[in-house]
Structure formats: structure tokens, C-alpha cells
Amino acid sequence: DIQMTQSPSSLSASVGDRVTITCRTSQSISNYLNWYQQKPGKDPKVLIYAASTLQSGVPSRFSGSGSATHFTLSISSLQPEDVATYYCQQSYGLPWTFGQGTKVEIK
Amino acid sequence: VELEESGGGLVQPRGSLRLSCTTSGFIFRNYEMSWVRQAPGKGLEWISYIGDSGSTIHYADSVKGRFSISRDNARKSLFLQMDSLRPEDTAVYFCARQKRGVTRFGVTGPYFDYWGQGTLVIVSS
């Protein structure tokens, strides 16, 4: 199985700050990497697919980059509504696996 | 697009449960589907996939041999038959629609573009 390692596990930042979350994979997955946002008690929402393509309707402050084994999700200017847990997920090979999540809070 | 799970509840260890996912707002027969679960306070775990026609099926090792995924395209519904349930199967179970995008580099890998709200399964005596 492809192992996913996200960092940090949690972070606290101020409104307006730039936030970056990292996802590393145990083997190269090209750009088969997706990012999801999950707010408490809700279902996940896809933010980014194919490492860097913004899902329709997602604010442009979210962006993704990376390839092979190193990927990042960035929020250019953190907003209160961005409080959530963020997950990376690889779709390169079965079983599809998720990172352990990064909890983002407002300072 | 809407997906709605049902069928969760409290079940004893070694018991069975059948989850349903009813859908609307899209042409169900054209889409691959998956089940993803989330144990209380934990992360997301993909557990099963079914192709658009139902002929291709995959399972995570954690549920292989105990769970069975199926679909009824006429009823626009997805199912998960769960047998030999264990306490570690306690989780919220989400059904999710899969999509492959198209970028300037070609067709992307699959991603889950719509999810249901989830149904809670508790396995306990």
C-alpha cells in the first residue's frame, strides 16, 4: 500500500496568513494526488485534484502543487471559514489511501 | 447532485447490516462509486469501489471477504452488504461519486467529487 504522510498534524494561524500543508507519499505517484476539506460533522469536499487543478467552485486562495512524492496544499490568505481538517489522497494505486489529516484552526 | 446514505445503526459483533446510498441529480449509470468510512475521531479510509456497470469491484484488505458492494443502476442506488461485523468497523460510512478530470496533460486519476452526509454504524455488544 502507498503510505501517505501529512505535516503538520495541526496548525494554528491568524486570519490572512498564508498556510501550507505538506503531503509525502511512500512511492512516486506522478500527479495522482487529491486534496479534501472536511468541516466538523460534515462530509469531505474536494478542493484540488491531479495535484494542482482547482475543483470548480473552490475559492482561488486554495492551490496545490507537487509531483512524484512531495505535494503541498496552500491557502494564500486564511479565512475563518477555512477552519477544517484537510486530507490528501492518492489515486495512483489500489487501495486508495488518505493522509492522516491536518487540522487547521484560527489563532 | 445528491447522495443519501441509510441503513446504519447499532449491531452486535458478528452481525450484519446493509447500507444503501440513493442518488439523484446525475446519470448514475455513468459513474464509478466508492464507499469510504471514518472511525470516530479518526481519518478517512477507502473501503470499496464499483465500476459504472458493476462488473469491476475492489475492496480494501480490512473488509475483503466480509463486505460486498453492489449497485442497481435502474434504481440509481449503491449498496454495501456488511457481514461478520467487528467493533473496529464502527464508523461513519460515506458513499462517494468518482470522477476523472481532464487537464491539458490528459485524463486525471479518479477523485471523489460528491459525497453523502454519511451513516453511522456502531458495532458493539
Side-chain angles (χ1 to χ4, degrees), chain A residues 32 34 36 38 42-44 46 49-50 53 55 87 89 91 94-96 98, chain B residues 34 38 42-44 46 49 58 94 98 101 103 108-112 115-116:
Chain A
Y32 288 70
N34 310 310
Y36 300 87
Q38 186 179 31
K42 300 294 187 181
D43 57 294
V46 63
Y49 62 91
T53 302
Q55 172 72 346
Y87 295 93
Q89 176 247 330
S91 59
L94 290 165
W96 296 316
F98 291 85
Chain B
S34 275
Q38 186 169 38
K42 302 297 184 182
L44 299 166
W46 168 84
Y49 158 93
H58 298 290
F94 297 98
Q98 290 185 223
T103 69
T108 73
Y111 60 97
F112 306 116
W115 301 61

Side-chain angles (χ1 to χ4, degrees), chain A residues 27-106:
Chain A
Q27 67 181 74
S28 177
I29 61 168
S30 183
N31 71 335
Y32 288 70
L33 192 286
N34 310 310
W35 289 98
Y36 300 87
Q37 174 195 65
Q38 186 179 31
K39 297 183 178 180
K42 300 294 187 181
D43 57 294
K45 306 289 185 192
V46 63
L47 300 174
I48 303 284
Y49 62 91
S52 61
T53 302
L54 192 69
Q55 172 72 346
S56 176
V58 173
S60 59
R61 63 180 179 273
F62 291 94
S63 64
S65 65
S67 65
T69 62
H70 185 206
F71 303 87
T72 60
L73 172 71
S74 295
I75 309 174
S76 61
S77 176
L78 187 67
Q79 299 302 303
E81 60 266 32
D82 300 334
V83 169
T85 300
Y86 294 82
Y87 295 93
C88 58
Q89 176 247 330
Q90 63 83 17
S91 59
Y92 182 81
L94 290 165
W96 296 316
T97 45
F98 291 85
Q100 81 279 13
T102 295
K103 188 173 184 179
V104 174
E105 298 176 325
I106 300 291

Side-chain angles (χ1 to χ4, degrees), chain B residues 25-46:
Chain B
F26 66 102
I27 303 174
F28 180 73
R29 65 178 181 272
N30 288 350
Y31 286 87
E32 305 158 280
M33 301 291 295
S34 275
W35 288 96
V36 177
R37 69 183 180 183
Q38 186 169 38
K42 302 297 184 182
L44 299 166
E45 178 189 17
W46 168 84

